[in-house]
Amino acid sequence: MNDGGAKTEALLRVAEIEGRGRSLVAAQPLRGGQVILRESPLLLYSAFPFLSSSPSPYCDHCFRMLSQSAQRCQSCSLVSFCSPNCFSFHTPWLCESLRRLHQSSSAAFADQSPERQVQARFLLSAYNLAAASPCDFQILLSLQGGGENGDSTSEFLHSLLSAVCPPLHVPISPELTAALLEKDKVNGFGLMEPFSVSKEKRSVRAYGIYPKTSFLNHDCLPNAGRFDYVDSASDGNTDIIIRMIHDVPQGREVCLSYFPVNMNYSSRQKRLLEDYGFKCECDRCKVESSWSEDENEDMEEMDGEDDQEEEEMEEEEEEEGCGDDETSFPHAYFFVRYMCEKENCFGTLAPLPPKGHDASRFLECNVCASVKEDEVGGNPRD
């Protein structure tokens, strides 16, 4: 839900930006804390490999933690559900496909990586979408991502699934398999396991495709944050919620960071190239590309700056785009105000949704969900 009742279409518009492709830009001035998009997944699938050493502790539909009363599918023996309602979404085609795959999984996946096993889960979910909702399957096919030529992974998974799965009205072709895998790679979002201070790195419990959210491009100093509340008891617990980190004017591109903002330049570039296939040229990267390796390493350890630097950051003028002017140094202000300080969290803070005309004085972390009073105040100049 968007605060103030505004629909996403009134807040955002799709635009083609040179070098960035389809993007979402502000259709009107947006306020810090404003919820600009809430979206349910087109499809979800487990992040646990078929040959995992331990079964998934999550419901295979809503991905909440399973209780002792969880219901395991007796037919395919591969999935469990937290309630009869969640179990009702387990379609006959998917169940039969999983049952057949379960019979041959040890042999089929014996020498295959966990990543390939999870990719097989995605393909099963995608083809199940084709059987259950052809219109939604067409939306999936319309998303960015090619890959029709295929590679060894798509060839192996096509050979396996075409031999195992029951027939569909949509033929399981090598070209379609390759295209779907590419769409998952560039459009998928991970739903993370619950945060724990004792764990330095959280694992993914499930992956989902969110068509509108996938239009949001990356920026290393984002102006919006992604929130999810998978473990909440309310309906729509797998929805993704996009909330503004600070005010932006009409016409400004709205961007997320695809990973924690404290990563250094070389690590960010490596991950973006390997996982998403592009080199980032945001304003922050333009600044940091000229830094030494030691200076970049310092960014990951940075916990805050003194008051003088904070004042200097507030005085910087921001040019058009999601970041700041390439000659400025916006990192300190952003880190001081919008990065969570909790141990092993590395989350990003955004104001709670404003009530009426009054901006919230509290910031929420999109990883650990902690709430703190905004002690810095102000807003990056636009």
Side-chain angles (χ1 to χ4, degrees):
M1 65 192 72
N2 297 318
D3 63 287
K7 294 183 178 181
T8 296
E9 291 76 10
L11 301 173
L12 302 170
R13 62 178 177 83
V14 178
E16 286 283 342
I17 298 179
E18 185 177 357
R20 298 177 69 82
R22 287 185 296 184
S23 311
L24 290 180
V25 301
Q28 60 179 263
L30 303 175
R31 302 171 60 193
Q34 186 172 8
V35 175
I36 58 170
L37 175 62
R38 178 168 188 161
E39 184 176 24
S40 299
L42 194 64
L43 63 81
L44 285 172
Y45 62 96
S46 173
F48 282 72
F50 283 110
L51 299 183
S52 178
S53 57
S54 58
S56 168
Y58 304 106
C59 172
D60 208 65
H61 175 68
C62 71
F63 291 96
R64 296 185 180 97
M65 290 286 295
L66 291 169
S67 65
Q68 293 183 344
S69 60
Q71 182 177 359
R72 190 170 185 82
C73 179
Q74 297 301 313
S75 178
C76 67
S77 303
L78 278 176
V79 291
S80 298
F81 300 92
C82 66
S83 67
N85 180 59
C86 284
F87 184 69
S88 69
F89 289 91
H90 189 46
T91 67
W93 183 89
L94 182 57
C95 184
E96 178 62 16
S97 297
L98 287 170
R99 186 190 69 80
R100 296 182 185 185
L101 197 59
H102 181 57
Q103 292 177 340
S104 61
S105 61
S106 295
F109 292 120
D111 58 347
Q112 301 299 320
S113 67
E115 181 182 6
R116 277 196 178 181
Q117 298 177 47
V118 175
Q119 287 175 308
R121 286 191 182 274
F122 161 71
L123 289 171
L124 286 175
S125 296
Y127 284 118
N128 181 62
L129 185 69
S133 180
C135 291
D136 286 340
F137 187 66
Q138 291 303 313
I139 293 175
L140 176 62
L141 293 179
S142 72
L143 298 179
Q144 289 183 321
E148 292 81 357
N149 294 328
D151 55 17
S152 60
T153 295
S154 64
E155 291 170 0
F156 166 78
L157 292 174
H158 165 72
S159 176
L160 172 65
L161 297 183
S162 60
V164 169
C165 295
L168 278 173
H169 69 278
V170 177
I172 302 178
S173 68
E175 295 78 17
L176 185 56
T177 298
L180 286 170
L181 288 172
E182 186 65 19
K183 293 180 188 302
D184 178 51
K185 179 180 179 181
V186 300
N187 297 289
F189 289 85
L191 299 180
M192 309 303 291
E193 293 187 327
F195 171 76
S196 173
V197 175
S198 62
K199 296 178 67 175
E200 186 171 345
K201 185 177 181 180
R202 290 197 303 167
S203 298
V204 181
R205 72 175 86 183
Y207 293 99
I209 301 293
Y210 299 79
K212 292 180 181 178
T213 308
S214 69
F215 281 15
L216 289 166
N217 286 325
H218 167 82
D219 195 280
C220 295
L221 284 182
N223 52 28
R226 170 200 147 191
F227 289 78
D228 55 60
Y229 304 92
V230 186
D231 295 302
S232 67
S234 60
D235 293 337
N237 70 301
T238 56
D239 290 359
I240 274 182
I241 297 170
I242 306 300
R243 193 191 303 167
M244 296 306 299
I245 294 175
H246 55 74
D247 297 357
V248 301
Q250 181 177 346
R252 179 70 49 83
E253 184 183 7
V254 177
C255 300
L256 302 174
S257 177
Y258 293 170
F259 37 70
V261 296
N262 69 319
M263 290 178 65
N264 66 29
Y265 172 76
S266 58
S267 298
R268 297 197 311 270
Q269 293 290 349
K270 181 175 184 293
R271 182 163 175 179
L272 288 169
L273 189 60
E274 291 179 352
D275 292 353
Y276 301 97
F278 70 88
K279 173 180 169 61
C280 183
E281 297 182 351
C282 73
D283 291 329
R284 176 182 172 188
C285 284
K286 290 176 182 177
V287 172
E288 293 183 18
S289 62
S290 62
W291 289 3
S292 69
E293 193 64 31
D294 288 342
E295 287 175 312
N296 270 299
E297 290 295 338
D298 288 343
M299 292 307 301
E300 291 193 341
E301 301 173 1
M302 182 176 179
D303 291 322
E305 299 291 335
D306 57 35
D307 292 339
Q308 181 179 354
E309 284 183 325
E310 290 173 24
E311 293 174 1
E312 291 173 356
M313 295 312 105
E314 293 179 17
E315 293 173 0
E316 294 288 355
E317 287 241 330
E318 182 175 328
E319 298 293 332
E320 288 299 314
C322 290
D324 229 350
D325 180 80
E326 63 183 79
T327 60
S328 70
F329 184 67
H331 313 64
Y333 180 88
F334 190 97
F335 282 16
V336 166
R337 189 178 183 191
Y338 298 122
M339 188 168 178
C340 185
E341 299 175 348
K342 184 171 288 189
E343 182 181 3
N344 291 333
C345 177
F346 312 117
T348 303
L349 303 172
L352 294 174
K355 295 181 179 179
H357 297 291
D358 297 326
S360 175
R361 296 186 298 106
F362 295 92
L363 303 170
E364 180 186 13
C365 176
N366 67 348
V367 172
C368 70
S370 62
V371 176
K372 59 171 283 187
E373 188 169 2
D374 185 2
E375 300 174 350
V376 178
N379 195 70
R381 292 182 61 183
D382 290 307

